[in-house]
Amino acid sequence: MNNAVTKKTVTTADTGETIHDVPVLVNYHLNDGYDWMDVIGEHGWAVIPSWGCDGWDLGQWPYVMVAGTRTADGIGNLFGMATYCEGDVQTTFFRTKARFWSALSEQAFFHWTNGPAQGPADLPGTAAEMPSRYRIPCTLGDAA
């Protein structure tokens, strides 16, 4: 494929299924995050700029980003999430949209509480305790 995307065998995080030949995002240290965003877009992935009902930042572009994709195999939908941190990339796949959204919500909570991303002022102590309005895609703009 290219230096940011490769086909691999993965195990879904929510159901434990083994799935072969899935396009997986891998470490990308050639250029910056904006270039990574363009490259992965050619393979069906999109960086998710914001999360939650009011569209709070999800990461800190171009250094930290979260991307998602929806694809399918013979069994059904597959949802992929990749985290990019200055070229280091981790990719996880889920069979269900609910678990995918939960993983995105956990990333959002982490960035809102530990990083420069601005989140809701009334965050609880854990991601699991976040109200449902903070655990959904932003409908104000361009979210997955």
Side-chain angles (χ1 to χ4, degrees):
M1 299 195 91
N2 69 30
N3 51 8
V5 183
T6 189
K7 289 211 174 196
K8 287 187 173 183
T9 296
V10 300
T11 301
T12 56
D14 53 349
T15 60
E17 297 170 68
T18 300
I19 312 218
H20 302 283
D21 297 323
V22 178
V24 174
L25 301 187
V26 295
N27 289 348
Y28 183 78
H29 295 284
L30 288 181
N31 295 304
D32 66 13
Y34 293 121
D35 187 57
W36 180 76
M37 185 185 324
D38 290 340
V39 170
I40 68 170
E42 297 170 7
H43 298 276
W45 288 81
V47 172
I48 302 166
S50 52
W51 192 251
C53 60
D54 288 338
W56 294 281
D57 288 346
L58 186 54
Q60 182 193 20
W61 293 13
Y63 309 107
V64 178
M65 295 186 235
V66 179
T69 192
R70 180 178 149 209
T71 186
D73 65 1
I75 296 171
N77 286 326
L78 284 170
F79 300 89
M81 179 185 77
T83 57
Y84 171 99
C85 182
E86 296 187 358
D88 295 336
V89 178
Q90 286 193 328
T91 303
T92 309
F93 279 87
F94 306 92
R95 182 59 77 183
T96 66
K97 184 190 292 185
R99 185 58 188 101
F100 173 63
W101 282 13
S102 181
L104 288 167
S105 297
E106 291 164 13
Q107 283 294 312
F109 181 83
F110 176 81
H111 294 291
W112 295 339
T113 57
N114 297 303
Q118 185 73 27
D122 62 343
L123 280 175
T126 67
E129 297 171 319
M130 285 195 312
S132 60
R133 68 185 180 276
Y134 300 159
R135 303 177 62 78
I136 59 173
C138 171
T139 58
L140 303 174
D142 206 10

